[in-house]
Amino acid sequence: MTSHPTDHPHDDTAPTDITARTPPARSRLPLTLTPVLLLVVVALTDLLTPDWLHVSTVMAAVPVLAAALLPVWATAALACAALSVTALLQMVAGQLGRPDSDVVLGTLAVVGLASLATCSLRRRRERQLRQVRSVAQTAQRALMHPLPGRIRSLALCGVHLPAESAARIGGDFYEALQTPYGTRILIGDMRGKGLTAVGASANLLGAFRELADREASLAKVAQGLDERARREIAALDGQGTQALFTERFATALLVEFPPGEAVARIVHCGHPDPLVVRAGRVHAHLPDRPGPPLGLGDLLAAEPVATTVPFAPGDRLLLYTDGFIEARDRRGRFYDLPAHARAHADRPLPAMVSALRLALLHHVDGDLGGDAALVALERLP
C-alpha cells in the first residue's frame, strides 16, 4: 500500500492508490503431482492384478496430463518414465517382445512425442498471454493518475485490481481533479475487454480532464463525455471495424464536491449506485433520474441530471465498478460489498479500503473474473 493521508498530514498530493497485483491462487503443487501419482497407481495396480488383467495401457494418460500441467522438461521425463515402467511391467509379466507388447510400447512412444509437442505449444501460448496481459496492465496504470491523498477537505483512497486472465482485462478507470468548481471525481467501466477497452478508457479520461476544468455544470461534463464516446463509435465504424455500439459504451459516475458546501452532487450514467457510509450505516444512493451510459445518449430519451446529497464531515462515499459486486466465490455467491463496508466503517479510510480489497481477493480465492476498481472518499473536518 502506498502512503495515505494520515502518513502525510501536510501533503495534499500523497497518492493513495492501492494497485497491487492480485496474489496467486492456491498452490498448484497437488495438481502438478497428479501425473506422478497416476504413474505410481497404474504400476502398482498392474503388479497386484492377475496375469490375465493388465492396466499398463493407462500409462498413456501420464504424459497427456503432464503436458497440460507441467513444463516441457517434466513432460519429457514423465513420458520416458511411463515408457520405461511399462516395459519393466511387461518384462515381469513375461510379455516383453510379443506383438501386443510392441504395440503398447509404440503407442506410448507416439503419445509421449505428441504430448511434448502439445506442451511446447501450450507454454508458447502462455508466454504470449503473459505479454499481452503485461502490456494491458501497463497501459491501464499509465492512463490513470495516482489519486491524491487529500484535496481540500476531502480524503481519497483508491484501489484497482486487474483481472488474472489477460483475456478478461477491461477498461475500469477513475480520476480525481481539483477544479474551479470544486473537487470532481470520475469512475467508470468501459464495455469490452483487452487493449481496445483500455484505449477507449484513455480517451474518456482525457475528455474528463478537459471538460471538468471548463464546464461549470457537472451534467454538462457528462454530456460532453457522452458526445466524445459517440464520436469514437462513429470513427471506428467509419474505419470499417464494424464496432457495435453495444461494445463501445461505458458506465460511469461523476461526483462533485463544491467548495464551502457540505454536499455532494452525483450524476449517474448507468453505473452501479454509490454507497454512502454515515454513522456506521451503509446505504446505496439511488438516483431519481438515472442517465444513460456514456455513448448511448442518442438512443435513450434521457439526459444526465445531477442530484445533491448531504455530505457532512465524517461521511464517506464508496464508488466502485461492477468487479466489486459481481465477483463470485466457488459456490457462485456474489461479494457483498455493503456488508463488508459496514463491518469496516469505523476504521481509517485507507485501512477500510485495504480491508475491502483483501476481502474481495479472499472471496474469489485470488482469481478475479474481471477488473475491479474502488474509490473511497471522506469529508474531513
Side-chain angles (χ1 to χ4, degrees):
M1 183 190 307
T2 53
S3 56
H4 49 74
T6 57
D7 293 332
H8 296 266
H10 303 292
D11 185 1
D12 291 353
T13 62
T16 55
D17 287 294
I18 305 173
T19 54
R21 290 180 133 190
T22 55
R26 292 177 181 175
S27 174
R28 296 182 58 191
L29 183 59
L31 191 62
T32 55
L33 291 177
T34 303
V36 178
L37 181 61
L38 178 62
L39 188 149
V40 174
V41 169
V42 172
L44 292 177
T45 303
D46 192 82
L47 286 173
L48 298 175
T49 52
D51 292 339
W52 55 269
L53 179 62
H54 294 282
V55 296
S56 58
T57 53
V58 183
M59 283 288 187
V62 172
V64 174
L65 277 176
L69 301 173
L70 302 175
V72 176
W73 66 267
T75 301
L78 283 172
C80 293
L83 186 62
S84 302
V85 171
T86 302
L88 288 175
L89 291 174
Q90 292 183 350
M91 181 184 297
V92 171
Q95 292 184 337
L96 192 63
R98 294 181 183 180
D100 56 343
S101 173
D102 294 339
V103 170
V104 171
L105 295 177
T107 301
L108 279 174
V110 172
V111 171
L113 292 174
S115 299
L116 281 175
T118 302
C119 183
S120 178
L121 180 61
R122 174 182 65 84
R123 300 288 288 183
R124 185 185 308 170
R125 293 291 176 84
E126 288 177 349
R127 287 193 296 269
Q128 292 174 347
L129 285 175
R130 282 196 297 269
Q131 291 174 353
V132 172
R133 185 172 186 266
S134 176
V135 170
Q137 289 183 357
T138 302
Q140 282 180 320
R141 294 189 180 99
L143 70 91
M144 289 193 302
H145 295 162
L147 290 179
R150 179 173 176 174
I151 301 179
R152 295 173 177 162
S153 62
L154 193 69
L156 303 89
C157 188
V159 58
H160 177 260
L161 295 170
E164 276 297 295
S165 169
R168 295 179 293 185
I169 288 179
D172 291 11
F173 55 90
Y174 54 71
E175 180 64 288
L177 299 174
Q178 183 174 344
T179 74
Y181 315 102
T183 302
R184 286 178 167 177
I185 313 292
L186 170 68
I187 186 169
D189 183 4
M190 176 61 63
R191 168 80 177 188
K193 303 295 179 184
L195 290 175
T196 302
V198 175
S201 301
N203 289 334
L204 285 180
L205 280 175
F208 174 72
R209 290 161 185 155
E210 175 186 348
L211 293 167
D213 200 60
R214 188 183 68 194
E215 294 287 351
S217 168
L218 191 63
K220 291 292 184 182
V221 176
Q223 289 179 359
L225 292 176
D226 177 71
E227 292 173 1
R228 174 67 66 90
R230 283 188 277 129
R231 284 200 300 269
E232 182 184 357
I233 295 170
L236 289 171
D237 289 338
Q239 295 172 4
T241 58
Q242 299 179 350
L244 298 176
F245 69 90
T246 53
E247 295 297 329
R248 293 294 172 189
F249 71 84
T251 65
L253 274 176
L254 291 86
V255 186
E256 177 183 88
F257 301 92
E261 300 182 46
V263 299
R265 298 191 184 105
I266 305 176
V267 175
H268 294 249
C269 298
H271 199 76
D273 299 318
L275 298 179
V276 179
V277 183
R278 180 178 294 122
R281 298 182 178 181
V282 179
H283 67 273
H285 173 263
L286 304 178
D288 297 329
R289 294 173 56 189
L294 302 179
L296 302 183
D298 57 339
L299 300 177
L300 303 176
E303 294 184 354
V305 176
T307 58
T308 302
V309 297
F311 198 67
D315 291 350
R316 292 179 179 178
L317 194 64
L318 300 184
L319 317 176
Y320 53 91
T321 60
D322 56 11
F324 259 89
I325 56 174
E326 295 182 357
R328 300 183 185 226
D329 62 8
R330 293 180 180 270
R331 299 184 189 177
R333 296 174 300 182
F334 290 106
Y335 177 74
D336 193 347
L337 179 60
H340 286 284
R342 191 177 303 111
H344 301 286
D346 59 342
R347 304 182 66 180
L349 191 67
M352 177 185 183
V353 172
S354 181
L356 294 177
R357 168 185 172 271
L358 292 175
L360 174 64
L361 295 177
H362 177 74
H363 183 78
V364 300
D365 197 22
D367 184 15
L368 284 171
D371 283 11
L374 180 143
V375 176
L377 311 158
E378 180 179 0
R379 174 78 74 183
L380 301 174

